[in-house]
């Protein structure tokens, strides 16, 4: 019984080992970026291509992004016809430089290299030195087993000699003409006019002084009138006293006369 169990375990381990070895041997895909020149000059337009090396591994999905170095500008590009791969879709997006494709029926295999994409790059006028084009966000897999493969990428470099730097645009150091006038705007003039107007308005208060003068004059006149000679009959008081005394004497005399007569 023990021998049978050991035999089954050994068989399972052997099968697993064979599967692992075959999977590791078949799980590699190689992509290569290439161009037809190694040296370039500013202004040159270079032709590039991305190719997949011969593979016996079934490829049912492809994705990668083309990385353009600083010093180069994308001009145009295209990808292989999806029918050549047996894919349902295989497209190139210029804005993101992404290539995407997938199959739903069967994986693609080839005994020779397969060109997946063609594109053109222009060398900028200020470019110089080694400029390398490579791929990123690479995913290669099978639509049948859903296995994702390890992918090796070979980049391509060109050397640009003697690039002419573009002169930077320098902003004028001269102050704009609109800033030149340091003189106060003429619109300030009304303020002075307003001040004069205010002064004139203050001057119009002068009539108050005139009225004050008039009041003083009236007061002086009144004072003069108060010191003028009185026109009452106070000077005749002694006459009235004399008349009163005579009246008293008359009354007294009448009283005495009556008494003597009796």
């Amino acid at each position: 019984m023990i021998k049978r169990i050991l035999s089954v375990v050994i068989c399972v381990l052997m099968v697993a080992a064979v599967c692992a070895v075959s999977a590791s041997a078949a799980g590699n895909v190689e992509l290569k970026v290439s161009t037809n020149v190694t040296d370039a000059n500013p202004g040159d337009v270079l032709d590039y291509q991305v190719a997949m090396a011969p593979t016996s591994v079934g490829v049912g999905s492809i994705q990668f992004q083309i990385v353009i170095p600083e010093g180069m500008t994308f001009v145009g590009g295209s990808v292989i016809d999806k029918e050549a791969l047996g894919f349902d879709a295989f497209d190139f997006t210029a804005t993101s430089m992404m290539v995407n494709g997938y199959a739903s029926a069967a994986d693609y295999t080839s005994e020779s290299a397969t060109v997946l994409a063609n594109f053109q790059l222009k060398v900028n006028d200020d470019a110089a030195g080694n400029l390398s084009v490579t791929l990123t966000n690479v995913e290669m897999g099978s639509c049948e087993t859903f296995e994702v493969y390890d992918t090796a990428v070979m980049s391509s470099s060109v050397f640009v000699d003697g690039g002419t730097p573009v002169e930077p645009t320098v902003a004028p150091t001269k102050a704009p003409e609109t800033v030149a006038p340091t003189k106060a705007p003429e619109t300030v003039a009304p303020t002075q006019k307003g001040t004069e107007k205010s002064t004139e308005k203050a001057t119009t208060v002068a009539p108050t002084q005139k009225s004050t003068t008039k009041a003083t004059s009236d007061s002086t006149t009144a004072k003069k009138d108060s010191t003028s000679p009185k026109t009452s009959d106070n000077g005749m008081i002694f006459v009235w006293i004399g008349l009163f005394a005579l009246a008293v004497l008359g009354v007294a005399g009448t009283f005495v006369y009556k008494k003597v007569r009796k």
Side-chain angles (χ1 to χ4, degrees), residues 185-249:
E186 294 183 359
T187 54
V188 179
T191 305
Q192 298 176 354
K193 185 175 180 182
T195 305
E196 294 174 359
K197 188 174 182 181
S198 299
T199 306
E200 292 176 5
K201 188 174 181 181
T203 307
T204 58
V205 181
T208 305
Q209 298 177 357
K210 184 176 181 181
S211 60
T212 305
T213 306
K214 185 176 181 181
T216 306
S217 178
D218 293 344
S219 176
T220 305
T221 304
K223 190 173 182 181
K224 276 183 178 182
D225 293 343
S226 64
T227 57
S228 62
K230 294 182 180 181
T231 58
S232 62
D233 294 336
N234 291 336
M236 301 292 291
I237 189 167
F238 297 106
V239 177
W240 292 108
I241 293 173
L243 292 174
F244 179 75
L246 290 175
V248 170
L249 289 174

Side-chain angles (χ1 to χ4, degrees), residues 75-135:
V75 176
S78 61
V79 293
I80 192 174
D81 186 0
K82 63 181 180 180
E83 303 297 333
L85 298 171
F87 278 20
D88 297 333
F90 197 68
D91 304 306
F92 171 65
T93 305
T95 54
S96 61
M97 300 300 293
M98 290 289 299
V99 174
N100 284 283
Y102 62 89
S104 59
D107 292 335
Y108 173 81
T109 59
S110 176
E111 296 179 356
S112 59
T114 304
V115 177
L116 301 177
N118 292 289
F119 58 98
Q120 296 79 41
L121 299 178
K122 181 180 179 179
V123 181
N124 297 342
D125 293 337
D126 57 348
N130 285 310
L131 304 180
S132 179
V133 180
T134 187
L135 305 177

Side-chain angles (χ1 to χ4, degrees), residues 49-50 70 95 99 106 123 143 145 155 178 222 232 238 261:
Q49 68 177 16
V50 179
E70 185 177 354
T95 54
V99 174
V123 181
C143 71
T145 63
S155 302
T178 54
S232 62
F238 297 106
R261 188 174 179 182

Side-chain angles (χ1 to χ4, degrees), residues 29-66:
V29 179
E30 182 181 303
L31 296 179
K32 182 180 180 181
V33 183
S34 61
T35 185
N36 55 347
V37 298
T38 56
D39 296 309
N41 297 311
D44 289 350
V45 176
L46 309 181
D47 294 323
Y48 282 84
Q49 68 177 16
V50 179
M52 181 172 61
T55 179
S56 58
V57 175
V59 178
S61 64
I62 297 174
Q63 172 186 291
F64 58 83
Q65 183 177 17
I66 301 170

